[in-house]
């Protein structure tokens, strides 16, 4: 279990696996969207589906263990800001893969999971290069959520990263060291 002095191995492991996974997914998603690098779609989708397992494990652990307590009493605005950003990040980690699966799966493009076809592509018999959506409305909702959600999460991650640096270099407290599993006197 987490304490004020030390975060459990499970909290740290899950934070860094999901954080690095999300950063890679955000970067590859933007790159794909901008350049239409179709070779990356298979990997973006497969790793996105894989990340769900770690995200669900993390949410289970968060519910069981509670949120980490701050290393020092926070001012009111700091507490509200940090709690809101943490919520946005954790909700984003589940919303992004689900909206991606809605967009691709219900859009008829298919969802691969490495060698396994989770949702098959639905080619148009008249022109097999094209696909027919299984449910165009929900695929459209998924696409909007994936685009808007991605932008919101990038903003939240930047704020979160800046806050981690502020704790470490300006406040000189142990918030970042604790997440890295290192010790600092205050
Ligand atoms: C796990 C977390 C995920 C993150 C953080 C993420 C992030 C992103 C971002 C930021 C974009 C660019 C969106 C835009 O600018 O409109 C994108 C594009 C895309 N994502 Fe994801 N994604 C995730 C999972 C998935 C999954 C599981 C799938 C499908 C199974 C998927 C399918 C796609 C596709 C097909 C595109 C390209 C859309 C286009 O060409 O405009 N994503 N992703
Ligand atoms: C860019 C690198 C990152 C750094 C340096 C960083 C650092 C930290 C630190 C120091 C904490 C502890 C805050 C506290 O004790 O109150 C924390 C917590 C948290 N971080 Fe990050 N983080 C990073 C990326 C991310 C990303 C990409 C996500 C998710 C998309 C994320 C989600 C969270 C969440 C939800 C918490 C709350 C505690 C928990 O659930 O484990 N972080 N982060």
């Amino acid at each position: 279990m987490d304490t004020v002095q030390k975060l459990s191995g499970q909290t740290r492991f899950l934070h860094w696996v999901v954080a690095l996974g999300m950063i890679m997914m955000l970067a590859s998603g933007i790159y794909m969207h901008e350049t239409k690098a179709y070779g990356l779609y298979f990997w973006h989708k497969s790793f996105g589906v894989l990340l769900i397992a770690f995200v669900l494990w993390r949410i289970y652990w968060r519910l069981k263990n509670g949120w980490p307590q701050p290393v020092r009493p926070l001012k009111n605005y700091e507490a509200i800001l940090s709690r809101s950003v943490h919520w946005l990040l954790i909700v984003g980690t589940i919303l992004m893969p689900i909206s991606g699966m809605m967009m691709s799966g219900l859009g008829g493009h298919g969802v691969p999971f490495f060698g396994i076809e989770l949702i098959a592509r639905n080619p148009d018999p008249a022109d097999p290069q094209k696909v027919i959506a299984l449910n165009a409305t929900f695929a459209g909702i998924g696409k909007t959520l994936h685009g808007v959600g991605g932008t919101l999460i990038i903003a939240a991650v930047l704020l979160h990263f800046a806050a981690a640096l502020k704790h470490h270099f300006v406040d000189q407290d142990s918030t970042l060291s604790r997440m890295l599993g290192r010790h600092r006197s205050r």
Side-chain angles (χ1 to χ4, degrees):
M1 287 288 181
D2 296 340
T3 65
V4 171
Q5 287 76 31
K6 195 171 181 294
L7 296 179
S8 61
Q10 210 169 145
T11 289
R12 285 183 282 119
F13 170 76
L14 290 172
H15 174 270
W16 291 114
V17 168
V18 174
L20 292 179
M22 285 295 286
I23 291 170
M24 301 291 283
M25 293 301 296
L26 290 166
S28 61
I30 300 283
Y31 182 75
M32 279 159 43
H33 181 73
E34 294 301 321
T35 62
K36 299 286 165 224
Y38 292 116
L40 281 181
Y41 280 48
F42 172 85
W43 298 107
H44 181 87
K45 292 180 186 182
S46 299
F47 276 108
V49 172
L50 177 63
L51 205 58
I52 298 177
F54 291 97
V55 166
L56 291 179
W57 175 8
R58 181 153 183 235
I59 291 174
Y60 158 77
W61 178 240
R62 209 30 70 256
L63 291 172
K64 188 163 176 241
N65 176 76
W67 294 91
Q69 292 305 308
V71 299
R72 58 173 172 84
L74 296 179
K75 296 189 190 98
N76 240 348
Y77 87 90
E78 285 178 326
I80 295 171
L81 195 64
S82 94
R83 187 48 60 94
S84 323
V85 172
H86 289 167
W87 267 102
L88 189 66
L89 290 173
I90 223 152
V91 170
T93 54
I94 194 75
L95 180 98
M96 289 307 285
I98 288 176
S99 59
M101 288 176 81
M102 281 169 71
M103 161 171 72
S104 297
L106 300 177
H109 296 282
V111 177
F113 179 62
F114 303 102
I116 306 163
E117 204 169 37
L118 290 185
I119 304 178
R121 193 171 172 271
N122 188 32
D124 181 347
D127 178 2
Q129 297 292 342
K130 296 198 174 134
V131 293
I132 300 179
L134 303 180
N135 184 321
T137 311
F138 280 98
I141 295 174
K143 190 174 170 55
T144 307
L145 284 177
H146 210 65
V148 175
T151 310
L152 273 177
I153 292 167
I154 290 172
V157 171
L158 291 177
L159 208 61
H160 183 66
F161 184 58
L165 294 184
K166 176 184 178 282
H167 275 289
H168 198 75
F169 294 109
V170 180
D171 305 332
Q172 302 197 341
D173 66 28
S174 59
T175 304
L176 179 60
S177 324
R178 190 176 67 161
M179 190 51 99
L180 290 166
R182 298 203 192 113
H183 292 286
R184 200 176 203 186
S185 51
R186 63 184 189 121

